[in-house]
Amino acid sequence: MAQLDVQPKRKGSPFIWIIFAILAIATAVLLYRGCNRTQPLKLDTSDTIKKDTVKTDSSVIVTTQPDWNSVDFTIPRSSMAEVTDTAIIVRGNDKYTIYSLGENILFNAGKSTLQQGAAEKLKQVAASLQKRYKMAAIAIYGHTDSVGNAGDNKALGADRANAVKEWLATKGGILPDKLSVHSLGEKQPLATNDTDRGRAQNRSVEIVAYTNGENQ
């Protein structure tokens, strides 16, 4: 009988399987990264938008506030149909309107209590404010002449301005939160303090409505 030369089967090398396993893992990793790259990156811009909006709004508020320190009390005179009393001087420009009343019209000399006749003058001013500038910011300035002590003059100017503010708020129908008081005393005189006439002009109360070019 012929002899059969039967060789035993060789077992596969384990290194081949290790290489296949490494390739399979690498392929899986690459596929996973590729899937993630297809998703767009989402950014939460809500906070940024909110912050920008707040900044914009606050800047608008700031720019619309009156600069009460820059009021020019010597601007040209103007007229209003509802202000018929010649003792009330009206001045105006594109930013504010000024109602000027002399000291002798509203107060006795050296006093801060409104005289009886003052109410009729203030009624006309209040009616004009209600008609034209109902929601406008309003400042009340107290002026004095240079006679006497500067500190006393400033205090007197403040007392007179506060008396006018109180009347406008309680009897003139003007919203209290729209009113502010500023005492200039003998500073920023409207006329010269070297003459009796000039000093009389300096003893006054100015009611300033901030219009900023628009009727409120």
Side-chain angles (χ1 to χ4, degrees), residues 64-72 96 141 210:
T64 55
Q65 291 303 304
D67 181 5
W68 294 125
N69 294 321
S70 65
V71 175
D72 180 5
Y96 43 81
Y141 291 82
Y210 180 77

Side-chain angles (χ1 to χ4, degrees):
M1 291 181 64
Q3 292 183 353
L4 296 176
D5 186 10
V6 179
Q7 299 289 336
K9 292 183 178 181
R10 296 181 179 179
K11 295 182 180 180
S13 175
F15 293 106
I16 296 176
W17 294 108
I18 293 173
I19 292 172
F20 276 122
I22 293 173
L23 290 174
I25 293 172
T27 302
V29 171
L30 290 175
L31 289 174
Y32 176 77
R33 289 182 177 179
C35 292
N36 285 344
R37 286 177 183 175
T38 60
Q39 296 180 359
L41 182 62
K42 294 182 180 180
L43 296 175
D44 185 4
T45 58
S46 59
D47 290 341
T48 303
I49 294 174
K50 289 179 181 178
K51 290 179 182 178
D52 290 342
T53 303
V54 171
K55 289 180 181 179
T56 303
D57 292 344
S58 63
S59 65
V60 171
I61 293 172
V62 171
T63 55
T64 55
Q65 291 303 304
D67 181 5
W68 294 125
N69 294 321
S70 65
V71 175
D72 180 5
F73 295 100
T74 63
I75 57 178
R77 291 192 181 191
S78 59
S79 61
M80 294 180 176
E82 67 273 15
V83 181
T84 58
D85 195 320
T86 57
I88 304 172
I89 299 173
V90 180
R91 302 177 185 273
N93 60 18
D94 61 345
K95 291 184 178 180
Y96 43 81
T97 297
I98 303 173
Y99 302 83
S100 181
L101 301 100
E103 173 205 56
N104 60 322
I105 297 173
L106 300 178
F107 306 97
N108 288 319
K111 303 296 182 181
S112 60
T113 302
L114 290 168
Q115 300 183 91
Q116 290 184 349
E120 294 303 318
K121 316 292 183 184
L122 293 175
K123 281 180 183 178
Q124 284 200 15
V125 174
S128 182
L129 291 172
Q130 289 276 35
K131 177 182 179 180
R132 298 175 184 269
Y133 317 117
K134 190 170 184 179
M135 299 305 295
I138 299 170
I140 305 164
Y141 291 82
H143 293 269
T144 68
D145 59 28
S146 61
V147 176
N149 180 275
D152 293 340
N153 287 335
K154 187 169 184 178
L156 179 61
D159 290 342
R160 287 175 170 172
N162 274 306
V164 173
K165 175 187 175 182
E166 181 69 15
W167 192 97
L168 291 174
T170 59
K171 300 180 181 179
I174 307 299
L175 296 174
D177 61 348
K178 298 294 181 182
L179 299 169
S180 61
V181 167
H182 308 266
S183 177
L184 296 175
E186 61 188 57
K187 293 182 178 180
Q188 298 185 29
L190 307 177
T192 178
N193 276 303
D194 295 332
T195 65
D196 291 339
R197 183 178 180 181
R199 287 190 291 272
Q201 293 180 34
N202 290 333
R203 296 190 295 268
S204 64
V205 171
E206 262 70 36
I207 301 170
V208 182
Y210 180 77
T211 65
N212 198 26
E214 298 180 0
N215 288 353
Q216 305 292 324

